[in-house]
Amino acid sequence: MQYPNYPTNYSQLYPYQQQMMNQPMNQPQQIQSSGCVEVNGYQEVVNYPVACATSVNLIDMQAKKFYVKTRGFSSFDQPVIESYSLVKDEDKKADNSVLYATPDDIKAIKTEIESVKADISKLMERGTTNE
Amino acid sequence: MNNPMNILQMINQIKSNPAAVLSQRFNVPQNLTNPNDIIQHLMNTGQISQQQYNAANQAARQYFNK
């Protein structure tokens, strides 16, 4: 007995569902970023043309500065410049401007405080006996 | 366009007033004289992309810093 040709794949029953799944999702508008551009000085960064919805990375190796110049989605938007300083890790480690007390320093200060306290108490006792 | 007279005329125009020919060809307003402003206008109108300008700028830098 021959059975009718029932659809075994449910996508045949619901073609619109599969079409919706196959459609690409609308990407939200994103700012595109490009590679790094070498510049000489901040004025060159200010004068560097940037297209709408674009972010450009600029680097000034002489002044050790890194800039990110971003422009909004409208041609009337003024570009925003973020500047960062480049610091070598080796230079960071050599920085000893912040000093911390060692445990020996704290012990010495403690013994000095104890001796000063003892002197004060002796003086107070003498003061009360003289009265 | 392929007429040699037209090409010669265009070359003569470019020699005499290159800025005007560029303005006409790329619809750049006459009041823009600063190269960076012209490039910004071309970017705003979508005639050039940021990547194209970056590549051209880098090539020019390398050429003039030889």
Side-chain angles (χ1 to χ4, degrees):
Chain A
M1 184 181 170
Q2 203 169 9
Y3 289 102
N5 193 13
Y6 291 117
T8 53
N9 186 4
Y10 280 105
S11 62
Q12 294 175 11
L13 287 174
Y14 303 102
Y16 291 111
Q17 209 174 42
Q18 221 178 26
Q19 276 179 20
M20 276 171 66
M21 280 164 60
N22 290 338
Q23 273 175 12
M25 300 293 288
N26 284 335
Q27 295 271 343
Q29 210 172 7
Q30 290 177 340
I31 287 181
Q32 297 173 8
S33 181
S34 57
C36 212
V37 177
E38 277 199 43
V39 290
N40 290 324
Y42 186 72
Q43 197 55 44
E44 211 171 304
V45 175
V46 171
N47 295 336
Y48 198 87
V50 177
C52 296
T54 308
S55 177
V56 179
N57 304 322
L58 304 117
I59 189 163
D60 187 354
M61 288 309 294
Q62 288 178 352
K64 300 276 190 289
K65 288 257 184 193
F66 183 82
Y67 303 95
V68 179
K69 190 170 181 181
T70 308
R71 192 122 183 248
F73 298 103
S74 164
S75 60
F76 298 108
D77 286 343
Q78 291 297 316
V80 175
I81 298 172
E82 299 165 338
S83 70
Y84 303 91
S85 292
L86 299 173
V87 180
K88 257 190 195 175
D89 284 342
E90 292 154 1
D91 295 341
K92 266 189 204 174
K93 284 176 191 171
D95 185 16
N96 293 327
S97 60
V98 179
L99 297 172
Y100 295 98
T102 60
D104 293 336
D105 293 336
I106 293 171
K107 272 184 193 172
I109 291 167
K110 214 175 175 180
T111 50
E112 200 170 327
I113 290 171
E114 295 297 326
S115 71
V116 166
K117 272 185 185 175
D119 291 339
I120 290 169
S121 59
K122 279 180 193 172
L123 285 167
M124 282 177 76
E125 275 173 19
R126 259 192 236 163
T128 50
T129 51
N130 285 342
E131 278 173 6
Chain B
M1 187 58 199
N2 292 331
N3 192 351
M5 290 306 296
N6 285 341
I7 294 170
L8 284 171
Q9 274 179 355
M10 196 184 290
I11 290 168
N12 285 332
Q13 269 183 332
I14 290 169
K15 275 185 187 175
S16 61
N17 195 354
V21 173
L22 286 172
S23 294
Q24 204 178 13
R25 171 70 178 83
F26 297 104
N27 291 325
V28 176
Q30 295 277 346
N31 60 340
L32 290 180
T33 53
N34 189 4
N36 285 335
D37 292 340
I38 293 170
I39 290 161
Q40 189 66 64
H41 176 80
L42 292 172
M43 276 188 194
N44 290 346
T45 52
Q47 295 181 74
I48 60 169
S49 70
Q50 186 69 54
Q51 282 77 15
Q52 283 174 326
Y53 174 69
N54 288 351
N57 190 38
Q58 195 176 7
R61 223 174 237 283
Q62 285 177 354
Y63 180 78
F64 289 112
N65 287 341
K66 267 188 191 175

